[in-house]
PDB file of all heavy atoms in Angstrom:
ATOM      1  N   SER C 221       3.853   0.664   3.318  1.00 93.00           N
ATOM      2  CA  SER C 221       3.975  -0.684   2.763  1.00 93.00           C
ATOM      3  C   SER C 221       2.592  -1.283   2.551  1.00 93.00           C
ATOM      4  O   SER C 221       1.567  -0.627   2.772  1.00 93.00           O
ATOM      5  CB  SER C 221       4.779  -1.562   3.726  1.00 93.00           C
ATOM      6  OG  SER C 221       4.022  -1.811   4.914  1.00 93.00           O
ATOM      7  N   SER C 222       2.565  -2.550   2.167  1.00 91.00           N
ATOM      8  CA  SER C 222       1.286  -3.244   1.982  1.00 91.00           C
ATOM      9  C   SER C 222       0.482  -3.290   3.277  1.00 91.00           C
ATOM     10  O   SER C 222      -0.748  -3.307   3.249  1.00 91.00           O
ATOM     11  CB  SER C 222       1.535  -4.666   1.485  1.00 91.00           C
ATOM     12  OG  SER C 222       2.037  -4.670   0.173  1.00 91.00           O
ATOM     13  N   VAL C 223       1.171  -3.329   4.407  1.00 91.00           N
ATOM     14  CA  VAL C 223       0.470  -3.369   5.694  1.00 91.00           C
ATOM     15  C   VAL C 223      -0.389  -2.124   5.859  1.00 91.00           C
ATOM     16  O   VAL C 223      -1.597  -2.206   6.134  1.00 91.00           O
ATOM     17  CB  VAL C 223       1.482  -3.489   6.861  1.00 91.00           C
ATOM     18  CG1 VAL C 223       0.750  -3.404   8.202  1.00 91.00           C
ATOM     19  CG2 VAL C 223       2.261  -4.784   6.760  1.00 91.00           C
ATOM     20  N   GLU C 224       0.212  -0.955   5.686  1.00 94.00           N
ATOM     21  CA  GLU C 224      -0.538   0.294   5.839  1.00 94.00           C
ATOM     22  C   GLU C 224      -1.618   0.433   4.763  1.00 94.00           C
ATOM     23  O   GLU C 224      -2.711   0.919   5.037  1.00 94.00           O
ATOM     24  CB  GLU C 224       0.412   1.497   5.776  1.00 94.00           C
ATOM     25  CG  GLU C 224       1.332   1.633   6.980  1.00 94.00           C
ATOM     26  CD  GLU C 224       2.491   0.654   6.942  1.00 94.00           C
ATOM     27  OE1 GLU C 224       3.023   0.397   5.838  1.00 94.00           O
ATOM     28  OE2 GLU C 224       2.869   0.137   8.013  1.00 94.00           O
ATOM     29  N   LYS C 225      -1.303  -0.029   3.565  1.00 94.00           N
ATOM     30  CA  LYS C 225      -2.282   0.071   2.485  1.00 94.00           C
ATOM     31  C   LYS C 225      -3.555  -0.705   2.826  1.00 94.00           C
ATOM     32  O   LYS C 225      -4.674  -0.169   2.714  1.00 94.00           O
ATOM     33  CB  LYS C 225      -1.684  -0.476   1.185  1.00 94.00           C
ATOM     34  CG  LYS C 225      -2.685  -0.535   0.044  1.00 94.00           C
ATOM     35  CD  LYS C 225      -2.089  -1.188  -1.190  1.00 94.00           C
ATOM     36  CE  LYS C 225      -3.132  -1.325  -2.297  1.00 94.00           C
ATOM     37  NZ  LYS C 225      -2.583  -1.976  -3.505  1.00 94.00           N
ATOM     38  N   HIS C 226      -3.393  -1.953   3.245  1.00 92.00           N
ATOM     39  CA  HIS C 226      -4.569  -2.798   3.479  1.00 92.00           C
ATOM     40  C   HIS C 226      -5.315  -2.395   4.758  1.00 92.00           C
ATOM     41  O   HIS C 226      -6.541  -2.532   4.826  1.00 92.00           O
ATOM     42  CB  HIS C 226      -4.155  -4.256   3.510  1.00 92.00           C
ATOM     43  CG  HIS C 226      -3.748  -4.779   2.161  1.00 92.00           C
ATOM     44  ND1 HIS C 226      -4.645  -4.986   1.139  1.00 92.00           N
ATOM     45  CD2 HIS C 226      -2.530  -5.096   1.662  1.00 92.00           C
ATOM     46  CE1 HIS C 226      -4.001  -5.422   0.060  1.00 92.00           C
ATOM     47  NE2 HIS C 226      -2.723  -5.488   0.350  1.00 92.00           N
ATOM     48  N   VAL C 227      -4.590  -1.891   5.749  1.00 93.00           N
ATOM     49  CA  VAL C 227      -5.273  -1.370   6.929  1.00 93.00           C
ATOM     50  C   VAL C 227      -6.100  -0.148   6.556  1.00 93.00           C
ATOM     51  O   VAL C 227      -7.243   0.014   7.007  1.00 93.00           O
ATOM     52  CB  VAL C 227      -4.255  -1.031   8.040  1.00 93.00           C
ATOM     53  CG1 VAL C 227      -4.929  -0.220   9.150  1.00 93.00           C
ATOM     54  CG2 VAL C 227      -3.643  -2.291   8.613  1.00 93.00           C
ATOM     55  N   SER C 228      -5.560   0.715   5.708  1.00 94.00           N
ATOM     56  CA  SER C 228      -6.267   1.949   5.339  1.00 94.00           C
ATOM     57  C   SER C 228      -7.542   1.665   4.562  1.00 94.00           C
ATOM     58  O   SER C 228      -8.460   2.499   4.556  1.00 94.00           O
ATOM     59  CB  SER C 228      -5.355   2.860   4.517  1.00 94.00           C
ATOM     60  OG  SER C 228      -5.147   2.344   3.208  1.00 94.00           O
ATOM     61  N   LEU C 229      -7.623   0.519   3.905  1.00 93.00           N
ATOM     62  CA  LEU C 229      -8.825   0.192   3.135  1.00 93.00           C
ATOM     63  C   LEU C 229     -10.038  -0.049   4.029  1.00 93.00           C
ATOM     64  O   LEU C 229     -11.174  -0.088   3.548  1.00 93.00           O
ATOM     65  CB  LEU C 229      -8.567  -1.037   2.258  1.00 93.00           C
ATOM     66  CG  LEU C 229      -7.538  -0.847   1.136  1.00 93.00           C
ATOM     67  CD1 LEU C 229      -7.321  -2.144   0.371  1.00 93.00           C
ATOM     68  CD2 LEU C 229      -7.963   0.270   0.193  1.00 93.00           C
ATOM     69  N   MET C 230      -9.806  -0.191   5.335  1.00 94.00           N
ATOM     70  CA  MET C 230     -10.918  -0.354   6.269  1.00 94.00           C
ATOM     71  C   MET C 230     -11.514   0.981   6.696  1.00 94.00           C
ATOM     72  O   MET C 230     -12.528   1.017   7.398  1.00 94.00           O
ATOM     73  CB  MET C 230     -10.450  -1.132   7.508  1.00 94.00           C
ATOM     74  CG  MET C 230     -10.098  -2.588   7.217  1.00 94.00           C
ATOM     75  SD  MET C 230      -9.685  -3.537   8.702  1.00 94.00           S
ATOM     76  CE  MET C 230      -7.985  -3.015   8.942  1.00 94.00           C
ATOM     77  N   LEU C 231     -10.896   2.087   6.276  1.00 94.00           N
ATOM     78  CA  LEU C 231     -11.419   3.408   6.607  1.00 94.00           C
ATOM     79  C   LEU C 231     -12.612   3.761   5.723  1.00 94.00           C
ATOM     80  O   LEU C 231     -12.711   3.285   4.582  1.00 94.00           O
ATOM     81  CB  LEU C 231     -10.328   4.461   6.419  1.00 94.00           C
ATOM     82  CG  LEU C 231      -9.096   4.354   7.320  1.00 94.00           C
ATOM     83  CD1 LEU C 231      -8.022   5.317   6.842  1.00 94.00           C
ATOM     84  CD2 LEU C 231      -9.460   4.620   8.764  1.00 94.00           C
ATOM     85  N   PRO C 232     -13.511   4.611   6.199  1.00 93.00           N
ATOM     86  CA  PRO C 232     -14.651   5.028   5.359  1.00 93.00           C
ATOM     87  C   PRO C 232     -14.196   5.709   4.070  1.00 93.00           C
ATOM     88  O   PRO C 232     -14.781   5.494   3.003  1.00 93.00           O
ATOM     89  CB  PRO C 232     -15.410   6.009   6.272  1.00 93.00           C
ATOM     90  CG  PRO C 232     -14.988   5.656   7.659  1.00 93.00           C
ATOM     91  CD  PRO C 232     -13.578   5.166   7.554  1.00 93.00           C
ATOM     92  N   ASN C 233     -13.147   6.535   4.156  1.00 93.00           N
ATOM     93  CA  ASN C 233     -12.589   7.216   2.981  1.00 93.00           C
ATOM     94  C   ASN C 233     -11.085   6.963   2.942  1.00 93.00           C
ATOM     95  O   ASN C 233     -10.293   7.782   3.462  1.00 93.00           O
ATOM     96  CB  ASN C 233     -12.873   8.721   3.043  1.00 93.00           C
ATOM     97  CG  ASN C 233     -14.350   9.038   2.994  1.00 93.00           C
ATOM     98  OD1 ASN C 233     -15.028   8.697   2.031  1.00 93.00           O
ATOM     99  ND2 ASN C 233     -14.851   9.678   4.047  1.00 93.00           N
ATOM    100  N   PRO C 234     -10.668   5.865   2.344  1.00 95.00           N
ATOM    101  CA  PRO C 234      -9.243   5.517   2.338  1.00 95.00           C
ATOM    102  C   PRO C 234      -8.411   6.577   1.617  1.00 95.00           C
ATOM    103  O   PRO C 234      -8.833   7.115   0.592  1.00 95.00           O
ATOM    104  CB  PRO C 234      -9.200   4.183   1.576  1.00 95.00           C
ATOM    105  CG  PRO C 234     -10.584   3.647   1.658  1.00 95.00           C
ATOM    106  CD  PRO C 234     -11.484   4.848   1.681  1.00 95.00           C
ATOM    107  N   PRO C 235      -7.226   6.892   2.128  1.00 96.00           N
ATOM    108  CA  PRO C 235      -6.352   7.843   1.449  1.00 96.00           C
ATOM    109  C   PRO C 235      -5.718   7.232   0.210  1.00 96.00           C
ATOM    110  O   PRO C 235      -5.683   5.996   0.052  1.00 96.00           O
ATOM    111  CB  PRO C 235      -5.290   8.145   2.510  1.00 96.00           C
ATOM    112  CG  PRO C 235      -5.233   6.905   3.352  1.00 96.00           C
ATOM    113  CD  PRO C 235      -6.647   6.383   3.384  1.00 96.00           C
ATOM    114  N   GLN C 236      -5.230   8.076  -0.678  1.00 95.00           N
ATOM    115  CA  GLN C 236      -4.432   7.583  -1.798  1.00 95.00           C
ATOM    116  C   GLN C 236      -3.137   6.990  -1.246  1.00 95.00           C
ATOM    117  O   GLN C 236      -2.528   7.564  -0.337  1.00 95.00           O
ATOM    118  CB  GLN C 236      -4.124   8.720  -2.764  1.00 95.00           C
ATOM    119  CG  GLN C 236      -5.323   9.239  -3.519  1.00 95.00           C
ATOM    120  CD  GLN C 236      -5.852   8.216  -4.509  1.00 95.00           C
ATOM    121  OE1 GLN C 236      -5.095   7.508  -5.153  1.00 95.00           O
ATOM    122  NE2 GLN C 236      -7.175   8.149  -4.638  1.00 95.00           N
ATOM    123  N   PHE C 237      -2.709   5.867  -1.804  1.00 96.00           N
ATOM    124  CA  PHE C 237      -1.544   5.155  -1.253  1.00 96.00           C
ATOM    125  C   PHE C 237      -0.372   5.186  -2.234  1.00 96.00           C
ATOM    126  O   PHE C 237      -0.555   5.012  -3.453  1.00 96.00           O
ATOM    127  CB  PHE C 237      -1.906   3.701  -0.954  1.00 96.00           C
ATOM    128  CG  PHE C 237      -0.725   2.858  -0.561  1.00 96.00           C
ATOM    129  CD1 PHE C 237      -0.169   2.961   0.705  1.00 96.00           C
ATOM    130  CD2 PHE C 237      -0.143   1.985  -1.477  1.00 96.00           C
ATOM    131  CE1 PHE C 237       0.931   2.205   1.059  1.00 96.00           C
ATOM    132  CE2 PHE C 237       0.961   1.222  -1.131  1.00 96.00           C
ATOM    133  CZ  PHE C 237       1.502   1.334   0.149  1.00 96.00           C
ATOM    134  N   ILE C 238       0.836   5.413  -1.694  1.00 96.00           N
ATOM    135  CA  ILE C 238       2.064   5.383  -2.484  1.00 96.00           C
ATOM    136  C   ILE C 238       3.075   4.503  -1.752  1.00 96.00           C
ATOM    137  O   ILE C 238       3.410   4.780  -0.599  1.00 96.00           O
ATOM    138  CB  ILE C 238       2.641   6.797  -2.673  1.00 96.00           C
ATOM    139  CG1 ILE C 238       1.664   7.658  -3.486  1.00 96.00           C
ATOM    140  CG2 ILE C 238       4.000   6.735  -3.377  1.00 96.00           C
ATOM    141  CD1 ILE C 238       2.090   9.108  -3.621  1.00 96.00           C
ATOM    142  N   PRO C 239       3.575   3.439  -2.387  1.00 95.00           N
ATOM    143  CA  PRO C 239       4.530   2.551  -1.701  1.00 95.00           C
ATOM    144  C   PRO C 239       5.926   3.160  -1.625  1.00 95.00           C
ATOM    145  O   PRO C 239       6.421   3.730  -2.594  1.00 95.00           O
ATOM    146  CB  PRO C 239       4.528   1.301  -2.585  1.00 95.00           C
ATOM    147  CG  PRO C 239       4.186   1.810  -3.955  1.00 95.00           C
ATOM    148  CD  PRO C 239       3.245   2.961  -3.739  1.00 95.00           C
ATOM    149  N   ILE C 240       6.551   3.023  -0.445  1.00 95.00           N
ATOM    150  CA  ILE C 240       7.930   3.476  -0.284  1.00 95.00           C
ATOM    151  C   ILE C 240       8.791   2.480   0.472  1.00 95.00           C
ATOM    152  O   ILE C 240      10.020   2.621   0.521  1.00 95.00           O
ATOM    153  CB  ILE C 240       8.011   4.839   0.447  1.00 95.00           C
ATOM    154  CG1 ILE C 240       7.396   4.734   1.851  1.00 95.00           C
ATOM    155  CG2 ILE C 240       7.351   5.945  -0.365  1.00 95.00           C
ATOM    156  CD1 ILE C 240       7.710   5.917   2.742  1.00 95.00           C
ATOM    157  N   THR C 241       8.163   1.465   1.098  1.00 94.00           N
ATOM    158  CA  THR C 241       8.942   0.567   1.940  1.00 94.00           C
ATOM    159  C   THR C 241       8.370  -0.841   1.893  1.00 94.00           C
ATOM    160  O   THR C 241       7.258  -1.056   1.400  1.00 94.00           O
ATOM    161  CB  THR C 241       8.969   1.086   3.389  1.00 94.00           C
ATOM    162  OG1 THR C 241       9.876   0.294   4.170  1.00 94.00           O
ATOM    163  CG2 THR C 241       7.588   1.010   4.032  1.00 94.00           C
ATOM    164  N   PHE C 242       9.159  -1.811   2.350  1.00 89.00           N
ATOM    165  CA  PHE C 242       8.705  -3.191   2.338  1.00 89.00           C
ATOM    166  C   PHE C 242       7.965  -3.509   3.630  1.00 89.00           C
ATOM    167  O   PHE C 242       8.161  -2.827   4.634  1.00 89.00           O
ATOM    168  CB  PHE C 242       9.905  -4.130   2.126  1.00 89.00           C
ATOM    169  CG  PHE C 242      10.808  -4.304   3.324  1.00 89.00           C
ATOM    170  CD1 PHE C 242      10.762  -5.457   4.081  1.00 89.00           C
ATOM    171  CD2 PHE C 242      11.714  -3.310   3.692  1.00 89.00           C
ATOM    172  CE1 PHE C 242      11.588  -5.628   5.184  1.00 89.00           C
ATOM    173  CE2 PHE C 242      12.550  -3.464   4.779  1.00 89.00           C
ATOM    174  CZ  PHE C 242      12.486  -4.628   5.527  1.00 89.00           C
ATOM    175  N   PRO C 243       7.087  -4.493   3.646  1.00 87.00           N
ATOM    176  CA  PRO C 243       6.783  -5.382   2.519  1.00 87.00           C
ATOM    177  C   PRO C 243       5.778  -4.769   1.538  1.00 87.00           C
ATOM    178  O   PRO C 243       4.704  -4.364   1.919  1.00 87.00           O
ATOM    179  CB  PRO C 243       6.166  -6.603   3.215  1.00 87.00           C
ATOM    180  CG  PRO C 243       5.554  -6.055   4.475  1.00 87.00           C
ATOM    181  CD  PRO C 243       6.425  -4.918   4.894  1.00 87.00           C
ATOM    182  N   TYR C 244       6.196  -4.679   0.276  1.00 85.00           N
ATOM    183  CA  TYR C 244       5.291  -4.268  -0.787  1.00 85.00           C
ATOM    184  C   TYR C 244       5.764  -4.903  -2.086  1.00 85.00           C
ATOM    185  O   TYR C 244       6.824  -4.566  -2.597  1.00 85.00           O
ATOM    186  CB  TYR C 244       5.242  -2.747  -0.962  1.00 85.00           C
ATOM    187  CG  TYR C 244       4.212  -2.321  -1.985  1.00 85.00           C
ATOM    188  CD1 TYR C 244       2.870  -2.253  -1.650  1.00 85.00           C
ATOM    189  CD2 TYR C 244       4.585  -2.041  -3.290  1.00 85.00           C
ATOM    190  CE1 TYR C 244       1.919  -1.897  -2.596  1.00 85.00           C
ATOM    191  CE2 TYR C 244       3.639  -1.674  -4.234  1.00 85.00           C
ATOM    192  CZ  TYR C 244       2.311  -1.606  -3.888  1.00 85.00           C
ATOM    193  OH  TYR C 244       1.362  -1.271  -4.816  1.00 85.00           O
ATOM    194  N   TYR C 245       4.963  -5.839  -2.600  1.00 80.00           N
ATOM    195  CA  TYR C 245       5.347  -6.561  -3.807  1.00 80.00           C
ATOM    196  C   TYR C 245       4.170  -6.626  -4.783  1.00 80.00           C
ATOM    197  O   TYR C 245       4.039  -7.563  -5.553  1.00 80.00           O
ATOM    198  CB  TYR C 245       5.818  -7.975  -3.443  1.00 80.00           C
ATOM    199  CG  TYR C 245       6.795  -7.974  -2.294  1.00 80.00           C
ATOM    200  CD1 TYR C 245       6.456  -8.517  -1.062  1.00 80.00           C
ATOM    201  CD2 TYR C 245       8.060  -7.402  -2.430  1.00 80.00           C
ATOM    202  CE1 TYR C 245       7.355  -8.497  -0.002  1.00 80.00           C
ATOM    203  CE2 TYR C 245       8.959  -7.376  -1.382  1.00 80.00           C
ATOM    204  CZ  TYR C 245       8.601  -7.928  -0.170  1.00 80.00           C
ATOM    205  OH  TYR C 245       9.481  -7.895   0.879  1.00 80.00           O
ATOM    206  N   GLU C 246       3.306  -5.610  -4.744  1.00 81.00           N
ATOM    207  CA  GLU C 246       2.097  -5.631  -5.554  1.00 81.00           C
ATOM    208  C   GLU C 246       2.253  -4.870  -6.859  1.00 81.00           C
ATOM    209  O   GLU C 246       1.314  -4.750  -7.628  1.00 81.00           O
ATOM    210  CB  GLU C 246       0.935  -5.043  -4.729  1.00 81.00           C
ATOM    211  CG  GLU C 246       0.659  -5.819  -3.446  1.00 81.00           C
ATOM    212  CD  GLU C 246      -0.312  -5.101  -2.533  1.00 81.00           C
ATOM    213  OE1 GLU C 246      -1.171  -4.364  -3.053  1.00 81.00           O
ATOM    214  OE2 GLU C 246      -0.208  -5.263  -1.306  1.00 81.00           O
ATOM    215  N   ARG C 247       3.434  -4.319  -7.102  1.00 80.00           N
ATOM    216  CA  ARG C 247       3.667  -3.570  -8.329  1.00 80.00           C
ATOM    217  C   ARG C 247       4.888  -4.131  -9.047  1.00 80.00           C
ATOM    218  O   ARG C 247       5.914  -4.394  -8.426  1.00 80.00           O
ATOM    219  CB  ARG C 247       3.909  -2.092  -8.016  1.00 80.00           C
ATOM    220  CG  ARG C 247       4.363  -1.279  -9.222  1.00 80.00           C
ATOM    221  CD  ARG C 247       4.774   0.129  -8.840  1.00 80.00           C
ATOM    222  NE  ARG C 247       3.615   0.953  -8.517  1.00 80.00           N
ATOM    223  CZ  ARG C 247       3.713   2.198  -8.088  1.00 80.00           C
ATOM    224  NH1 ARG C 247       4.903   2.745  -7.915  1.00 80.00           N
ATOM    225  NH2 ARG C 247       2.623   2.895  -7.814  1.00 80.00           N
ATOM    226  N   VAL C 248       4.756  -4.336 -10.337  1.00 79.00           N
ATOM    227  CA  VAL C 248       5.894  -4.766 -11.151  1.00 79.00           C
ATOM    228  C   VAL C 248       6.578  -3.520 -11.692  1.00 79.00           C
ATOM    229  O   VAL C 248       5.950  -2.676 -12.340  1.00 79.00           O
ATOM    230  CB  VAL C 248       5.436  -5.671 -12.312  1.00 79.00           C
ATOM    231  CG1 VAL C 248       6.616  -6.002 -13.219  1.00 79.00           C
ATOM    232  CG2 VAL C 248       4.809  -6.950 -11.765  1.00 79.00           C
ATOM    233  N   THR C 249       7.863  -3.367 -11.421  1.00 81.00           N
ATOM    234  CA  THR C 249       8.627  -2.217 -11.893  1.00 81.00           C
ATOM    235  C   THR C 249       9.751  -2.708 -12.794  1.00 81.00           C
ATOM    236  O   THR C 249      10.715  -3.308 -12.318  1.00 81.00           O
ATOM    237  CB  THR C 249       9.219  -1.415 -10.720  1.00 81.00           C
ATOM    238  OG1 THR C 249       8.160  -1.006  -9.842  1.00 81.00           O
ATOM    239  CG2 THR C 249       9.952  -0.188 -11.228  1.00 81.00           C
ATOM    240  N   LEU C 250       9.616  -2.489 -14.085  1.00 82.00           N
ATOM    241  CA  LEU C 250      10.623  -2.909 -15.050  1.00 82.00           C
ATOM    242  C   LEU C 250      11.467  -1.728 -15.534  1.00 82.00           C
ATOM    243  O   LEU C 250      12.535  -1.927 -16.118  1.00 82.00           O
ATOM    244  CB  LEU C 250       9.962  -3.598 -16.246  1.00 82.00           C
ATOM    245  CG  LEU C 250       9.136  -4.854 -15.914  1.00 82.00           C
ATOM    246  CD1 LEU C 250       8.490  -5.407 -17.173  1.00 82.00           C
ATOM    247  CD2 LEU C 250      10.001  -5.915 -15.251  1.00 82.00           C
TER     248      LEU C 250
END
């Protein structure tokens, strides 16, 4: 979710992130 994504950005080499669970509302899917 967004929690794991933003925590991972504090790493020296952040992993690629793929959302699968909430809370995550940063992508518009039409």
